[in-house]
């Protein structure tokens, strides 16, 4: 059965309980949050339960009755019509407060021809990079009067495609997209069919759409060079999924760094870290317990770094004494760890601001309407988690 949305007024936290996620902020309370659940078609198709919830809310007629006015007068007060007397306005506003009435935003959007709502679709809310990107997107857009509707696909292309259809039905004015699978035909087709501006956030699609991306490959090449200068020749990379640009580009940078160091003759030790710290933990555990344990490990993603730290501890090892460790995407964790962790940082706040500002340019006609692609730098931060090969 097709998954459909449940909309909540706010999201208090990222949903993850991992202690290492705490240096990052929670998602802003001003978000509309769309999650996708099974067997909920009745909530949008109008089952009795859905109607009951709607009937519990005060209506404009209730306000008119309480104020002793017509619904037309109440509507004019709500829309700040200049012909309304001050005494009439005060009576209506008092009734609104007493009933805790909220105007129907959807109806107002129809009248105004604009929803002032931006859809932001990402694979998950659970890790710090997502929360930081979301917070900075909301900060930029809210200053210009836009509301963000945030949707999570949980790394499922079918759910993602359904979310994009929900965005279209709800008169979303533009979409920011961090797709979970850049090769999924249903996602490509749905984005191509969107009748509004779309900006990809650190993603690539074979379409003529705008994109703001990070230069992951160069930062990864720099990381390999750094380890090679310390004498390491046996370097392993646990990488994010190559179905998404960050994983694919970091794998490319890793291979190019090995080639630059004349280590390409060896089969590159590249492992898929999966979509969670639990899966990454198991991958790293297997690697550390193998007879040919690498001398240096690159944990190529935020969740992967969590899993790697847990695996190193479970094996009774220490970094950098037993293995050199290089992480990604969590500079706050790197700085509070002891020893501090050498890190690749994609600068998610800068990425979010770039994507939000490009979207505003498209919405407000401040730049040419042809698609643009802008690449922002990832940076390499040296810490204390790597040491010369013994």
């Amino acid at each position: 059965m097709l998954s459909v949305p449940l909309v909540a007024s706010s999201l208090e936290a990222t949903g993850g309980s991992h202690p290492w996620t705490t240096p990052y902020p929670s998602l802003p309370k001003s978000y509309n949050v769309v999650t996708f659940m099974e067997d909920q078609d009745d909530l949008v198709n109008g089952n009795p339960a859905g109607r009951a919830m709607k009937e519990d809310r005060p209506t404009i007629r209730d306000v008119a009755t309480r104020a002793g006015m017509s619904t037309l007068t109440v509507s004019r007060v709500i829309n700040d019509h200049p012909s309304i007397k001050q005494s009439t306005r005060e009576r209506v506003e008092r009734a609104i407060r007493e009933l805790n009435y909220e105007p129907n935003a959807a109806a107002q959007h129809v009248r105004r021809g604009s929803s002032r709502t931006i859809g932001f679709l990402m694979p998950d809310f659970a890790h710090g990079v997502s929360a930081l990107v979301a917070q900075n997107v909301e900060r930029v857009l809210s200053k210009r009067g836009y509301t963000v509707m945030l949707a999570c696909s949980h790394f499922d292309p079918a759910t993602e495609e359904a979310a994009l259809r929900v965005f279209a039905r709800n008169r979303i004015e533009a979409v920011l997209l961090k797709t979970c699978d850049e090769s999924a035909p249903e996602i490509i087709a749905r984005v191509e069919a969107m009748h509004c501006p779309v900006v990809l956030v650190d993603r690539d699609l074979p379409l003529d759409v705008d994109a703001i991306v990070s230069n992951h490959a160069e930062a990864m090449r720099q990381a390999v060079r750094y380890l090679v200068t310390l004498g390491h020749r046996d370097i392993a990379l646990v990488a994010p999924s190559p179905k998404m640009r960050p994983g694919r580009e970091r794998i490319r940078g890793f291979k190019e760094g090995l080639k630059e160091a004349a280590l390409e003759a060896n089969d590159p030790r590249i492992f898929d870290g999966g979509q969670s710290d639990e899966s990454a933990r198991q991958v790293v555990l297997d690697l550390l317990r193998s007879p040919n344990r690498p001398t240096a490990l690159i944990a190529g993603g935020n969740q992967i770094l969590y899993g790697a730290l847990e695996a190193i501890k479970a094996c009774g090892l220490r970094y950098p004494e037993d293995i050199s460790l290089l992480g990604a995407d969590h500079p706050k964790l790197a700085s509070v760890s002891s020893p501090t962790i050498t890190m690749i940082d994609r600068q998610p706040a800068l990425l979010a601001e770039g994507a939000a500002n490009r979207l505003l340019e498209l919405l407000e006609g401040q730049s040419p309407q042809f698609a643009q692609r802008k690449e922002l730098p990832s940076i390499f931060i040296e810490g204390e988690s790597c040491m010369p090969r013994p």
Side-chain angles (χ1 to χ4, degrees):
M1 179 169 295
L2 178 66
S3 298
V4 297
L6 295 175
V7 182
S9 60
S10 66
L11 184 63
E12 295 291 342
T14 61
S17 59
H18 203 295
W20 288 321
T21 64
T22 53
Y24 276 102
S26 298
L27 293 174
K29 292 183 179 180
S30 58
Y31 274 107
N32 283 329
V33 180
V34 181
T35 58
F36 288 81
M37 299 179 66
E38 297 296 328
D39 300 323
Q40 297 292 332
D41 300 87
D42 50 356
L43 291 181
V44 290
N45 292 330
N47 76 344
R51 287 195 296 272
M53 287 188 293
K54 183 177 180 180
E55 289 166 1
D56 289 338
R57 298 172 56 186
T59 68
I60 193 170
R61 291 184 179 85
D62 297 328
V63 175
T65 300
R66 177 68 67 93
M69 303 285 181
S70 69
T71 55
L72 178 59
T73 299
V74 173
S75 177
R76 286 177 173 174
V77 170
I78 291 171
N79 290 285
D80 201 25
H81 196 281
S83 67
I84 297 297
K85 296 179 181 179
Q86 183 61 29
S87 59
T88 300
R89 183 182 304 278
E90 290 174 357
R91 285 174 62 183
V92 171
E93 290 177 346
R94 181 166 59 252
I96 288 173
R97 288 193 302 271
E98 291 172 354
L99 293 172
N100 196 26
Y101 170 74
E102 291 291 341
N104 187 319
Q108 289 181 318
H109 296 161
V110 171
R111 288 193 296 270
R112 297 170 184 170
S114 171
S115 69
R116 305 292 292 181
T117 302
I118 306 301
F120 189 6
L121 176 55
M122 58 176 60
D124 78 321
F125 302 148
H127 70 281
V129 170
S130 292
L132 194 56
V133 169
Q135 185 182 59
N136 281 277
V137 161
E138 192 275 340
R139 178 177 56 80
V140 173
L141 293 176
S142 65
K143 288 180 180 178
R144 303 288 274 272
Y146 289 93
T147 298
V148 177
M149 179 178 285
L150 184 62
C152 177
S153 69
H154 305 286
F155 295 96
D156 177 40
T159 301
E160 195 165 280
E161 194 268 343
L164 291 172
R165 285 190 281 109
V166 169
F167 284 171
R169 288 200 303 269
N170 283 274
R171 293 177 174 264
I172 295 297
E173 291 201 27
V175 172
L176 292 166
L177 177 60
K178 289 183 69 177
T179 180
C180 65
D181 187 348
E182 297 170 357
S183 64
E186 63 268 39
I187 301 304
I188 296 169
R190 179 55 55 183
V191 172
E192 190 172 28
M194 298 293 289
H195 297 292
C196 66
V198 176
V199 175
L200 303 179
V201 184
D202 213 10
R203 297 292 188 267
D204 286 326
L205 287 177
L207 298 171
D208 188 28
V209 294
D210 287 82
I212 307 296
V213 301
S214 294
N215 188 344
H216 300 282
E218 175 54 35
M220 182 59 74
R221 286 191 292 269
Q222 189 175 353
V224 174
R225 291 187 202 114
Y226 173 75
L227 292 172
V228 169
T229 61
L230 293 176
H232 294 280
R233 296 296 181 269
D234 190 358
I235 306 169
L237 169 65
V238 180
S241 169
K243 293 181 179 180
M244 295 177 286
R245 185 180 185 278
R248 191 169 58 253
E249 285 295 290
R250 285 174 176 174
I251 291 171
R252 179 172 71 87
F254 181 72
K255 290 179 177 179
E256 290 175 354
L258 294 179
K259 183 177 181 180
E260 182 183 292
L263 297 175
E264 73 278 12
N266 301 326
D267 289 334
R269 303 186 71 180
I270 301 173
F271 304 87
D272 186 347
Q275 309 291 10
S276 66
D277 55 330
E278 291 85 0
S279 60
R281 179 182 184 275
Q282 189 57 54
V283 170
V284 178
L285 275 175
D286 294 342
L287 182 61
L288 296 180
R289 290 168 176 170
S290 66
N292 55 340
R293 187 175 76 203
T295 62
L297 171 66
I298 301 177
N302 168 294
Q303 299 287 79
I304 295 169
L305 178 58
Y306 301 154
L309 288 167
E310 290 177 339
I312 290 170
K313 181 179 179 180
C315 290
L317 302 176
R318 297 176 301 166
Y319 70 86
E321 292 87 350
D322 300 310
I323 187 168
S324 288
L325 175 66
L326 196 149
D329 296 337
H330 213 322
K332 291 289 186 181
L333 173 60
S335 64
V336 300
S337 298
S338 182
T340 58
I341 301 173
T342 300
M343 184 73 56
I344 294 170
D345 179 16
R346 75 173 82 177
Q347 303 190 88
L350 188 64
L351 186 71
E353 291 169 6
N357 283 320
R358 177 55 185 159
L359 203 64
L360 289 170
E361 290 175 354
L362 294 172
L363 288 168
E364 300 174 3
Q366 298 176 1
S367 72
Q369 296 297 301
F370 56 84
Q372 296 182 2
R373 186 177 187 277
K374 184 176 182 180
E375 188 171 73
L376 302 175
S378 291
I379 58 175
F380 178 79
I381 305 170
E382 184 176 356
E384 305 164 332
S385 60
C386 302
M387 64 183 300
R389 180 186 176 186

